[in-house]
Amino acid sequence: MFFIGFDLGSSSVKACLVNADTGVAVASAFFPETEMAIEAPKAGFAEQQPENWWKNACLASKAVVQQANVKPEDVKAIGISYQMHGLVVVDDQQNVLRPSIIWCDSRAVPFGNQAFDDLGHDRTLQHLLNSPGNFTAAKLAWVKANEPGVYANVAKFMLPGDYLAMRMTGEVVTTASGLSEGVLWDFQENQPAEFLLHYYGFDKSLLANIKPTFAPQGELTAAAAAELGLAAGTPVTYRAGDQPNNALSLNVLEPGQIAATAGTSGVVYGVSDKLDYDPKSRVNTFLHVSHTPETPRYGVLLCVNGTGILNSWLRNQILRRSISYNDMNLLAHEAPIGADGLICLPFGNGAERMLENKDLGASFHGLQLTRHGLPHLIRAAQESIVFALYYGIQIMESVGVGVQTIRAGEANMFQSPLFRDTMANLTGATIELYNTDGAQGAARGAGIGLGHYKNQQDAFIGLNITKTIEPDMRAQEASRNAYNSWLELLESKL
């Protein structure tokens, strides 16, 4: 018996097959082999074509079934992880009406800020735990105001993972956790935020039906099964946003536990049992996948948009892909901690919630042509990503989420020794790296939703630590001095 997990990211769609009894990933694949395009028709815009998500999901699914040489009928459940906060709108025939406005798109900021002011900060935060900011609800408000012809035909709006599930099952459903990611959940009333829907003039019928995170949420249609290379009738039994799912994949389900990831964006995600919020919405609180009314679990999320995308930009644009990421990591070690005074601000991927929705762009400062070379550029960039995450971690600590141990998959920026050493030295936390990723987590979630495991902990058989990084006391002072210089520059720009 196997479970398949899909991880719909902004760079690719990954699929993973996990053996239900051993917890071992037997096959994984991602498509496209180069990063998916993000369209930017105007400054601050970021869009993707949902049809491309589906095509790449089908390619990845067929690839893992072929790699593992399993029969389609042996895959018993499907889990879905997806890029958070995006907007997909469809008509009454489930046709997509416009490209998806994805997570790093900045256009909706004024609509969220206006709602925050008009509805009152205290009321909004007490009920939503966040400002409407730049989340899914505000994105739909932008469509309503700027594309009335499109909006008039909207039958349902949904998150990217809801779209993928719709293509699989023909059903438009979502989860309470998903609605909270879109800032559409009223935590006080434990239901969709009707006062926000009323403010924006959204009819409640536009909402997808709500299903539990871990539960049957529809079955593969014959047409979808043929495209995916799976069996018709296979149930979708789990879905979650990529960061709650990353926490699940690392067995971060209880208060005090911390998960992190650093792909295109960088995220630190802590679990709490306290209904709390940052008054400035610089970090955000959502329903965690393990939340129930009886045992509340909230995910406090710090997101920095410009992280791994900065590293990939350096490789693609400056280095013209002439060397590998591993070679970049080796080069970075040739420069000292603090990059000999070269400072980078990594914020070049849209408005940053952590900076109260300011868009500072990415930039290098203090460049000396006679002293600085490629190693300094790479080191300054990687250090700046850690510095930005640490800046946000301190905000998380102000709302009661402490950081002592950070769990992450051994992937993306966590493959860089410089990156993970700098994070350990600056935060003082132990970093544990695991043999997992979002697609594996989604597959484990599918097993939980199917009811295969006696309890949630049984779902984590086969999850192992691959590396442990402890803070280096000798390097901590230099790292903190470099951070203080970076912080001084950042504060001068805010």
Side-chain angles (χ1 to χ4, degrees), residues 120-132:
H121 292 198
D122 289 344
R123 178 190 182 195
T124 303
L125 291 170
Q126 287 168 8
H127 285 265
L128 304 178
L129 305 188
N130 305 284
S131 161

Side-chain angles (χ1 to χ4, degrees), residues 4-17 25 27-33 36 52-64 67 78-83 164 168 228 245 409-412 415 435-443:
I4 189 168
F6 292 90
D7 187 11
L8 165 56
S10 46
S11 299
S12 65
V13 182
K14 187 172 186 177
C16 181
L17 268 181
S28 64
F30 67 89
F31 286 88
E33 295 181 357
M36 278 193 296
N52 290 338
W53 301 339
W54 175 246
K55 289 178 179 177
N56 287 307
C58 292
L59 290 169
S61 179
K62 287 181 176 178
V64 295
Q67 281 178 32
I78 298 166
I80 298 172
S81 167
Y82 58 88
Q83 49 174 291
L164 197 59
M168 293 178 178
L228 290 163
N245 177 75
E410 192 174 358
N412 301 316
Q415 293 178 305
N435 61 333
T436 192
D437 58 27
Q440 280 191 50

